[in-house]
Amino acid sequence: MAGETLFFKGTKSRVIFLAFCLVGTCLLAEAEVHNLTWEVSYQYKSLDCYKKLAIAINGETPGPTINATEGDTIIVNVKNNLLMENLAIHWHGIRQFGTPWSDGTDGVSQCGTMPGDTFVYQFVVDKAGTYMYHSHYGMQRESGLYGLIEVSVPSGTKEPFTYDGEHGVVLSDWYHSSSYEQATGLTSIPYVWIGEPQSLLINGRGKYDCANLSASVCNAANPECAPSSFTVVPGETYRFRIASLTSLSALSFQIEGHNMTVVEADGNYVEPFATENLYIYAGETYSVLVTANQSSSRNYWITTNVVSRNASTPIGQAILNYNPNQNLIPPNTTPPPGPLWNDVDARKNQSLAIEARQGYIQIPPHPDKVIVLLNTQNKVDGYTKWAINNVSHTLPETPYLIALEKNWLDVFDQTPAPESYDYENYDIYSVQNNSNATTSSSIYRLEFNSTVDVILQNANTMTANNSETHPWHLHGHDFWVLGFGDGKYDMKNNDANYKFKNPIMKNTVPLHPYGWTALRFQANNPGIWLFHCHIEAHFLLGMLVLFESGSSMVSVPPQVNMGCGKTKSLMQP
Ligand code: C2O
Ligand code: CU
């Protein structure tokens, strides 16, 4: 039973319910309730051999993997033991139908949980696949507060591929400065950029060069930074469930001497394709199948490297272990360095190669509304910001979901957020002065159940000849990826490039430099949902929008953290 391998304190109870009925035959399925208790606290960790504070769940970072079966209910009692810092945890990729209060987004679905308090998240994992969870409070995620959610198909159901075993892989980037230091620099005049990460971690393990540092600060022999290893039996096929939880870096992932077959992306089945390396952006998950078909006389390197930015961060390394019965022996070969950071075409080609498995969900043929979102770096009152259609978003003190439910229209900007930009005249290849940029807490209000197309349009940053990769993530929904293109999206002709045949559904998609990405979704989940760049610094600086739909159907939450903004007025004296 999948649930028996859970790595957390907690209890499970079983509920029998009717799963589904097909032509008069009803199948009985068992759905479990997983009741977890998590204590979140700071701990000294040496994840890349360099000792620094990290945020751990029950002492671990990455936190415990949640293993469940489609249809199960997850209850997580999150106790904030951070002492001096609020907390919110988001279940990334879980759509939260009927449970918008459990989305875990500070400023949107809840007030941050205060030190000493416990917040109870409760939701159903309604679709098999690979997901993740992470902090959604300021830049807190990058302190190590994240982990995997693995949802298996109900028993009796077959997946469209087979494998003998599986491994979970959490990829992250790691800084030695604290998130406070970074957030302060980013929001100051002069602006201080965070720079590139010191290390890349695979399942929370990396290797920083400790030369010239005292062993009390950086100790290469610390077992906490020994490389992660993944055991295989020769001839068998493994499913690697890979999630990128980087705060900044776009990555490539590869296994020395082994091809990978991509079969799942963001909880949706992919028409299988083979590749030597997988490009993966912050907020994405993939499953790849790997067959242990190489000589077992040695082990093989697994590596990950930064792409899209000219970073000096060393590659992250782990070991594919063919010899579990002896002490782990690192291969004596050179670890694969991965593709060149600036090979943009290879990355775009992989984006274009991802198609839905045939026979997947029918896409609505036409949008009811098209929203174009220009992505720019801006200055507002001398501060560096990221803006969408020249509006840099600021989250209000009072969470939107509570404000909408209470009809408190004074707590956020009621001007509708802009649905387009001056695309006739805007030159995406040059540095603009964008002198009309502003900050606002305005939102997009979408008709419930309507079909919405979103065109993400990239542009030059405030540095000449520079445009960045932005991984955009939508809460509460999956979307169809309609297409990618170079240059400026042409409102009249570009939908010829849409691939209506088998568009994949995802929850996170890259916007490539100087390009556009088009997606379609149905606003069928009552509530208010973030859509944002998954880079921590960009999110902090306003690269986000909000989609409200059907929020009038959302009723009083069973339990909400009060104590921020206008919610204080609801507290008992
Ligand atoms: Cu994975 Cu809004 O985030
Ligand atoms: Cu971004």
Side-chain angles (χ1 to χ4, degrees):
M1 177 119 268
E4 306 301 335
T5 56
L6 300 170
F7 302 105
F8 39 71
K9 297 195 265 185
T11 56
K12 285 174 289 160
S13 44
R14 249 167 236 174
V15 194
I16 306 282
F17 80 125
L18 284 177
F20 51 92
C21 299
L22 282 171
V23 233
T25 328
C26 291
L27 294 178
L28 259 188
E30 265 180 82
E32 281 185 23
V33 177
H34 305 262
N35 199 334
L36 319 180
T37 301
W38 285 3
E39 301 213 354
V40 178
S41 65
Y42 272 103
Q43 314 243 317
Y44 277 109
K45 293 282 181 192
S46 299
L47 303 184
D48 64 349
C49 305
Y50 183 94
K51 184 166 141 197
K52 68 161 282 207
L53 285 176
I55 299 181
I57 297 171
N58 298 343
E60 305 169 46
T61 172
T65 296
I66 297 178
N67 279 288
T69 302
E70 185 176 296
D72 286 358
T73 295
I74 312 290
I75 300 172
V76 194
N77 304 273
V78 177
K79 166 100 193 285
N80 180 0
N81 282 343
L82 294 175
L83 307 180
M84 297 185 291
E85 188 173 336
N86 287 0
L87 172 65
I89 301 184
H90 169 58
W91 318 92
H92 175 122
I94 308 298
R95 293 167 295 173
Q96 305 287 0
F97 280 112
T99 50
W101 308 102
S102 282
D103 198 42
T105 42
D106 173 58
V108 181
S109 64
Q110 66 167 94
C111 299
T113 306
M114 288 182 278
D117 281 357
T118 295
F119 188 78
V120 183
Y121 296 94
Q122 175 165 354
F123 54 90
V124 172
V125 287
D126 62 357
K127 187 156 62 79
T130 308
Y131 308 100
M132 58 175 88
Y133 60 81
H134 60 78
S135 161
H136 218 300
Y137 182 82
M139 292 177 72
Q140 197 175 56
R141 177 177 102 222
E142 67 167 55
S143 304
L145 212 186
Y146 42 70
L148 275 177
I149 304 175
E150 303 178 347
V151 182
S152 51
V153 293
S155 65
T157 309
K158 279 218 171 68
E159 290 196 277
F161 44 84
T162 57
Y163 49 92
D164 306 299
E166 64 176 76
H167 290 296
V169 184
V170 173
L171 303 176
S172 54
D173 49 11
W174 197 240
Y175 285 89
H176 293 171
S177 57
S178 71
S179 54
Y180 294 104
E181 210 172 326
Q182 295 191 2
T184 304
L186 292 167
T187 55
S188 295
I189 297 177
Y191 172 77
V192 183
W193 172 238
I194 59 173
E196 299 298 325
Q198 276 64 55
S199 302
L200 297 179
L201 309 181
I202 301 179
N203 285 350
R205 285 151 183 275
K207 196 137 236 119
Y208 185 68
D209 181 2
C210 291
N212 308 323
L213 289 169
S214 104
S216 61
V217 175
C218 193
N219 176 5
N222 190 325
E224 276 183 29
C225 58
S228 297
S229 69
F230 301 87
T231 296
V232 293
V233 171
E236 301 214 313
T237 296
Y238 293 84
R239 177 183 193 165
F240 282 76
R241 294 178 183 263
I242 309 168
S244 175
L245 279 142
T246 57
S247 53
L248 172 68
S249 314
L251 300 175
S252 172
F253 175 86
Q254 45 272 327
I255 306 178
E256 184 192 8
H258 295 71
N259 262 343
M260 299 180 269
T261 303
V262 181
V263 293
E264 183 221 334
D266 294 0
N268 295 289
Y269 295 129
V270 169
E271 193 58 39
F273 69 95
T275 183
E276 270 174 33
N277 70 290
L278 176 76
Y279 292 108
I280 181 165
Y281 304 89
E284 286 190 314
T285 64
Y286 286 96
S287 283
V288 299
L289 300 181
V290 178
T291 301
N293 55 7
Q294 297 301 301
S295 159
S296 62
S297 62
R298 69 171 182 98
N299 294 330
Y300 298 82
W301 289 113
I302 295 176
T303 65
T304 187
N305 62 294
V306 175
V307 293
S308 160
R309 306 180 65 90
N310 190 3
S312 51
T313 312
I315 59 170
Q317 304 178 16
I319 296 170
L320 188 71
N321 184 8
Y322 272 72
N323 299 283
N325 299 326
Q326 55 196 59
N327 286 340
L328 187 65
I329 304 173
N332 56 13
T333 49
T334 309
L340 293 177
W341 73 271
N342 55 1
D343 189 351
V344 192
D345 285 343
R347 295 197 288 116
K348 288 182 195 162
N349 288 339
Q350 194 167 92
S351 291
L352 290 166
I354 301 173
E355 285 195 0
R357 189 128 195 146
Q358 306 260 354
Y360 210 65
I361 306 173
Q362 202 63 42
I363 181 167
H366 304 290
D368 298 306
K369 181 197 264 302
V370 179
I371 299 176
V372 187
L373 303 177
L374 176 71
N375 289 225
T376 54
Q377 194 180 32
N378 297 67
K379 289 269 185 195
V380 178
D381 300 332
Y383 291 96
T384 299
K385 297 279 186 187
W386 283 88
I388 301 306
N389 295 340
N390 279 332
V391 177
S392 179
H393 197 97
T394 45
L395 291 170
E397 291 282 299
T398 309
Y400 288 104
L401 195 58
I402 302 172
L404 289 164
E405 206 264 340
K406 302 288 172 211
N407 212 22
W408 291 334
L409 299 182
D410 54 326
V411 301
F412 66 93
D413 188 350
Q414 296 300 308
T415 325
E419 294 185 3
S420 191
Y421 71 107
D422 181 12
Y423 65 84
E424 302 279 330
N425 301 309
Y426 194 95
D427 177 8
I428 63 158
Y429 295 101
S430 63
V431 177
Q432 311 273 313
N433 76 7
N434 292 324
S435 50
N436 56 345
T438 52
T439 60
S440 169
S441 56
S442 61
I443 63 174
Y444 295 89
R445 288 182 183 262
L446 307 175
E447 202 185 312
F448 186 64
N449 264 333
S450 63
T451 300
V452 181
D453 279 9
V454 176
I455 316 294
L456 292 161
Q457 176 65 59
N458 216 336
N460 209 101
T461 62
M462 291 191 304
T463 308
N465 302 313
N466 177 254
S467 181
E468 296 188 13
T469 305
H470 305 284
W472 278 83
H473 169 61
L474 179 59
H475 289 225
H477 313 73
D478 283 353
F479 49 75
W480 288 274
V481 181
L482 298 180
F484 299 89
D486 288 330
K488 202 195 277 188
Y489 178 82
D490 172 342
M491 292 302 280
K492 289 169 199 76
N493 306 311
N494 257 342
D495 30 356
N497 295 327
Y498 285 173
K499 37 192 285 182
F500 282 111
K501 215 171 121 245
N502 290 308
I504 180 84
M505 289 196 98
K506 293 190 93 247
N507 61 56
T508 306
V509 71
L511 173 60
H512 293 294
Y514 298 112
W516 55 264
T517 299
L519 51 100
R520 177 170 298 172
F521 72 99
Q522 272 179 310
N524 57 4
N525 193 357
I528 179 159
W529 306 100
L530 272 168
F531 181 49
H532 64 93
C533 174
H534 215 267
I535 290 175
E536 289 275 73
H538 293 181
F539 178 77
L540 185 83
L541 298 178
M543 202 169 204
L544 61 127
V545 299
L546 284 132
F547 293 130
E548 177 279 335
S549 176
S551 64
S552 59
M553 288 178 243
V554 175
S555 57
V556 187
Q559 182 249 29
V560 194
N561 275 23
M562 300 298 178
C564 65
K566 199 166 176 169
T567 69
K568 286 180 213 152
S569 65
L570 301 172
M571 293 169 85
Q572 303 299 328

